[in-house]
Amino acid sequence: MERVEQHACFGGSQEVWSHRSRTLDCEMKFAVYLPPQARQGRRPVLYWLSGLTCNEHNFIVKAGAQRYAAEHGVILVAPDTSPRGADVADDADWDLGQGAGFYLNATQAPWSKHYRMYDYAAEELPALIEAEFPASDRRAISGHSMGGHGALTIALKNPGRYRSVSAFSPIVAPSQVPWGKKAFAAYLGEDRNAWREWDAAALIARAQERLPLLIEQGEADEFLTTQLWPELLRAACEAVGHPIDLRMRLGYDHSYYFIASFIGEHVAYHAAALAD
């Protein structure tokens, strides 16, 4: 690994690291915020998954989460959103290819060679964080938009691994909306049964634990009625008695202004779940 950035921040250290990912077969970057409490021992970790077009910098620059992570003694980890590199498959559109990994394991060429963001985010990255940083195995996960989709599906597919999960403006039913249909057809092929393995609304019915879902959604979100459809996730949860707290926020859109407004509440929520 190589540290490529380090900045003092709220008594802790905001860092960006580069490493060779064996899962993705390319160089990857991730951001890690170490709160001041990490100097005294291992701390729990909140993983943040960003959305379409983003990388490891969007969350750490725009959300203002470090202040709250320092207050609660929580490590923040924010990976890139896809594999990167000249030999990594890409697309001219912004919603497919590099910057749009969708946190799944691709099965179709040319994507399957590198696009295994599920394995990276759920397995390789946490193992690396817990081996190389003062991080415990107490984990929480959150994300925004495409990253909210990733946070929900990763938590639902890995019972017992995370203490808590939340999402801002998540794509809750990607197999039913344009962004998801385009990406899933490319990465997974045309078998729609395979798509359901990466769809939070579909996974709820067979979830093996009842980990509560905290969903933050702006009512003025420009993608609310075309790409996000949070009511589908609420209906799926109500059908099987899965706990969900869907918070509809008047006037808020899809931007990081929205995330910055409520990230403190989410960090506090996860910190409570991560406490010994």
Side-chain angles (χ1 to χ4, degrees), residues 33-134:
Y33 175 70
L34 301 172
Q37 297 89 335
R39 290 192 285 269
Q40 279 73 55
R42 293 187 175 273
R43 304 303 305 171
V45 184
L46 172 57
Y47 291 88
W48 174 271
L49 306 182
S50 291
L52 290 165
T53 76
C54 293
N55 57 33
E56 71 283 351
H57 275 91
N58 295 75
F59 179 69
I60 64 173
V61 172
K62 298 178 179 180
Q66 295 93 337
R67 169 186 175 182
Y68 307 105
E71 177 184 344
H72 295 286
V74 173
I75 294 173
L76 301 175
V77 175
D80 200 349
T81 55
S82 78
R84 305 276 183 174
D87 64 336
V88 174
D90 200 5
D91 190 87
D93 290 339
W94 59 271
D95 54 357
L96 185 67
Q98 295 186 36
F102 268 84
Y103 303 100
L104 50 73
N105 290 337
T107 59
Q108 304 298 303
W111 313 102
S112 55
K113 181 179 179 181
H114 297 285
Y115 283 73
R116 302 187 63 83
M117 285 298 296
Y118 170 82
D119 283 351
Y120 179 76
E123 300 284 352
E124 183 179 5
L125 183 61
L128 184 152
I129 294 297
E130 290 164 24
E132 302 293 338
F133 296 91

Side-chain angles (χ1 to χ4, degrees), residues 6 17 40 99 241:
Q6 183 179 25
W17 289 77
Q40 279 73 55

Side-chain angles (χ1 to χ4, degrees), residues 177-215:
V177 300
W179 278 341
K181 289 179 180 179
K182 178 178 179 178
F184 284 11
Y187 297 146
L188 303 172
E190 296 298 336
D191 180 3
R192 298 206 171 200
N193 287 325
W195 296 9
R196 295 176 60 82
E197 292 298 315
W198 309 100
D199 185 305
L203 290 170
I204 285 292
R206 49 192 173 90
Q208 296 180 29
E209 68 173 342
R210 294 298 185 221
L211 190 66
L213 309 183
L214 172 57
I215 309 297

Side-chain angles (χ1 to χ4, degrees), residues 96-178:
L96 185 67
Q98 295 186 36
F102 268 84
Y103 303 100
L104 50 73
N105 290 337
T107 59
Q108 304 298 303
W111 313 102
S112 55
K113 181 179 179 181
H114 297 285
Y115 283 73
R116 302 187 63 83
M117 285 298 296
Y118 170 82
D119 283 351
Y120 179 76
E123 300 284 352
E124 183 179 5
L125 183 61
L128 184 152
I129 294 297
E130 290 164 24
E132 302 293 338
F133 296 91
S136 75
D137 62 358
R138 287 177 286 147
R139 312 175 194 98
I141 192 166
S142 187
H144 173 232
S145 194
M146 178 187 70
H149 141 76
L152 293 172
T153 56
I154 288 172
L156 289 168
K157 290 165 74 73
N158 292 277
R161 183 172 297 180
Y162 300 94
R163 299 280 189 95
S164 54
V165 59
S166 72
F168 286 78
S169 313
I171 308 170
V172 304
S175 65
Q176 301 184 54
V177 300

